[in-house]
Amino acid sequence: MDREDWLLPGAKKDPQSVTPNWETLEPALIEGVVLKNVRHVPTAYGHLTELFRDDWGLKGHWGQAFQSCFQPGAISAWHAHATTRDGIFVNRGMLKIVLFDSRKDSKTYGNINEFKLGDLRPGLLIVPSCVWHGVQNISSNGASLINFVDHAYTYEDPDHWRLSRDSPEIPYRF
């Protein structure tokens, strides 16, 4: 019997996604994107999870923090900021966060990154300015994120740009 005779046309082998120590292998990150994986610390009352620390080496400051809540299946896409940098931490549920680099002078121009972060996979995702991003709740319950931004929202002149989630300008569909 031929070892390949069971394969169906178009079948593709999964690539490695974790190391033998169960550390996830991250995709090649878009220029300026940082993912700081964190771990829950068991306590006598449950667990503690650090959201941010100065000694993580994430340069810059944070000017505002807010929480966004997502109903099951909800999608918020696409948006970007001309000057504002986002620090996204999923604090409840599981969210898929997708980034698209439309910066023509970037080494990663045209690249897409997809992350799944939440209760089981905590992490702080830093999204640089001018990188489009969208968020989808992939849990069966509500989900939420805490967003640290380096420039507080300006009510009179928002640094917030939007495209429809099915925009032909971004080669990704939720």
Side-chain angles (χ1 to χ4, degrees), residues 132-151:
W132 292 91
H133 45 291
V135 178
Q136 179 181 21
N137 181 355
I138 56 174
S139 348
S140 57
N141 295 312
S144 57
L145 63 81
I146 296 172
N147 195 347
F148 302 92
V149 293
D150 61 353
H151 298 291

Side-chain angles (χ1 to χ4, degrees), residues 78-141:
W78 292 98
H79 45 275
H81 314 285
T83 58
T84 302
R85 180 176 64 141
D86 285 301
I88 299 171
F89 192 99
V90 181
N91 62 319
R92 182 175 59 105
M94 184 68 74
L95 295 176
K96 176 168 52 172
I97 303 168
V98 181
L99 312 179
F100 174 68
D101 191 355
S102 67
R103 303 168 297 173
K104 292 190 170 118
D105 62 342
S106 170
K107 296 174 195 166
T108 55
Y109 171 71
N111 286 14
I112 289 177
N113 284 162
E114 181 180 299
F115 304 92
K116 292 179 180 131
L117 298 172
D119 292 335
L120 299 174
R121 176 83 196 284
L124 177 62
L125 180 65
I126 306 298
V127 181
S129 61
C130 304
V131 171
W132 292 91
H133 45 291
V135 178
Q136 179 181 21
N137 181 355
I138 56 174
S139 348
S140 57
N141 295 312

Side-chain angles (χ1 to χ4, degrees), residues 34-84:
V34 176
L35 177 61
K36 173 62 178 166
N37 289 306
V38 298
R39 293 184 177 164
H40 300 299
V41 178
T43 65
Y45 55 83
H47 68 272
L48 176 142
T49 308
E50 294 178 323
L51 306 183
F52 173 81
R53 290 178 55 94
D54 278 342
D55 60 3
W56 286 349
L58 305 172
K59 295 179 181 155
H61 72 282
W62 303 111
Q64 179 185 18
F66 58 89
Q67 177 175 274
S68 293
C69 298
F70 295 79
Q71 296 299 320
I75 299 171
S76 173
W78 292 98
H79 45 275
H81 314 285
T83 58
T84 302

